[in-house]
Amino acid sequence: MQASLDLSPEAVNQAAEAMIAAKPAYRDLIALYGRIFAAQEDARQRIRLEPVVIPEDLLTIRRREQLPLVPVSGMAFDPAAAGVLLGEICRIVIDSETGLSSSARTLSAKSTEIVPLFRDFLNEDEAAMARAAADIGVDPPALAFFLYHSLRPALRCCARQLSGFLTDDPVWEQGYCPICGSPPGLSCLEGDGQRFLFCSFCWHKWPLQRAMCPFCGNRDQEHRLFLYSDEEPEYRVEACASCRKYIKTVDTRVLGRRSYPPLEQIASLHLDIKAAEAGYAAGIPITPP
């Protein structure tokens, strides 16, 4: 069973229901994110993007030097579609009555002020984001949460478009995303044990050697640590003693249910706690995707 991001909204809901049955302790969190991810999958069908053009000479250099195709700021998005999805996500969060519901109400009432911020978010303009959050009346992390999740379907569509520029020559052997350069947020094992990484930002999926730490490139098996539980054979933490960072891995070969990677990341937050207790740091901030 392979991990897939290309599911219908109905299939995402089914994956969430199966996960709730397997992990009832995560019921509320999975129910919330299941609805958000289903809304994103529905929105993905309506995304319209202008093609990202990469000059041939620049493309040659990036391939030769093993550099990502574009920076995060170079990702294309659909402002109209993102604005509509923002409203849908706000309604979902308001209905859920979580700690983000107050921010969702505020943002929902000021939607016209939010759309121009999508570009600031992609430009990683922290000063502009902080000012905007203060003006709107929400915390910067909450604002970033809603902006990112509203953009996520477009980022995936853009990554798929850009993946057409990727070739197997030379083979990508880096731990960062070949599309946008972001670190991986999740790892999975498929088929005969092939390891794949998912980008923490655009969710592009690419293969990487199982013996390699994606954060520092260490290949020394004596410096690798695996944290797992016999009760959850589908999950493990792969930690590196060299850089003291870790990544979570889902073994889809033993999962026994439909896999939707962003939900797997949500339903394994207890592993982040276990890794932190062992003295390892996440390669990305420990926040829901």
Side-chain angles (χ1 to χ4, degrees):
M1 180 178 296
Q2 293 188 350
S4 175
L5 283 176
D6 294 327
L7 299 181
S8 67
E10 294 75 21
V12 172
N13 288 329
Q14 292 169 6
E17 291 171 1
M19 187 171 287
I20 288 173
K23 299 178 179 298
Y26 282 98
R27 174 181 298 276
D28 293 342
L29 201 57
I30 294 171
L32 169 62
Y33 278 93
R35 292 182 64 190
I36 291 175
F37 295 150
Q40 291 172 341
E41 291 299 333
D42 184 57
R44 185 167 57 89
Q45 310 304 318
R46 304 188 298 270
I47 299 293
R48 297 295 180 267
L49 298 179
E50 292 293 330
V52 177
V53 178
I54 304 177
E56 189 61 36
D57 56 344
L58 180 58
L59 185 60
T60 299
I61 294 172
R62 291 187 177 278
R63 285 173 175 165
R64 184 179 67 240
E65 302 297 330
Q66 294 271 284
L67 298 173
L69 293 176
V70 297
V72 165
S73 59
M75 301 288 285
F77 69 99
D78 183 335
V84 171
L85 181 56
L86 173 67
E88 294 178 9
I89 292 175
C90 284
R91 287 190 288 274
I92 291 170
V93 174
I94 290 170
D95 289 344
S96 71
E97 290 298 332
T98 70
L100 285 171
S101 295
S102 176
S103 295
R105 293 187 184 93
T106 299
L107 293 172
S108 181
K110 299 183 178 182
S111 58
T112 57
E113 300 177 38
I114 308 304
V115 173
L117 298 178
F118 289 129
R119 178 50 63 190
D120 288 335
F121 177 79
L122 289 179
N123 287 341
E124 301 178 273
D125 190 336
E126 295 184 4
M129 293 292 293
R131 288 193 300 269
D135 292 342
I136 295 170
V138 297
D139 292 333
L143 177 59
F145 172 91
F146 285 97
L147 290 175
Y148 173 70
H149 280 286
S150 301
L151 286 169
R152 185 170 167 268
L155 297 175
R156 285 179 50 205
C157 290
C158 182
R160 178 174 288 109
Q161 178 199 113
L162 287 168
S163 67
F165 289 109
L166 299 176
T167 67
D168 292 331
D169 185 23
V171 175
W172 187 259
E173 295 183 338
Q174 306 301 327
Y176 49 83
C177 176
I179 299 292
C180 71
S182 299
L186 191 70
S187 168
C188 72
L189 300 178
E190 299 180 2
D192 59 358
Q194 172 68 64
R195 180 197 198 190
F196 292 90
L197 302 181
F198 286 94
C199 176
S200 60
F201 192 76
C202 73
W203 283 88
H204 175 72
K205 175 182 175 181
W206 76 98
L208 191 72
Q209 296 178 18
R210 288 185 63 171
M212 176 180 170
C213 170
F215 305 112
C216 72
N218 171 55
R219 289 180 169 83
D220 186 347
Q221 294 303 293
E222 294 185 359
H223 285 76
R224 298 183 73 202
L225 174 70
F226 298 92
L227 304 175
Y228 59 91
S229 167
D230 291 337
E231 286 73 35
E232 291 184 313
E234 69 273 26
Y235 293 139
R236 73 178 69 168
V237 169
E238 297 186 25
C240 175
S242 294
C243 65
R244 306 299 296 179
K245 291 183 179 180
Y246 73 89
I247 189 168
K248 295 185 294 187
T249 294
V250 181
D251 191 339
T252 64
R253 301 169 299 174
V254 299
L255 198 57
R257 53 178 169 76
R258 188 189 297 276
S259 177
Y260 187 70
L263 278 175
E264 302 295 346
Q265 190 176 23
I266 290 293
S268 57
L269 293 176
H270 56 289
L271 295 181
D272 295 297
I273 297 174
K274 179 179 289 188
E277 291 174 344
Y280 294 89
I284 60 171
I286 306 175
T287 55

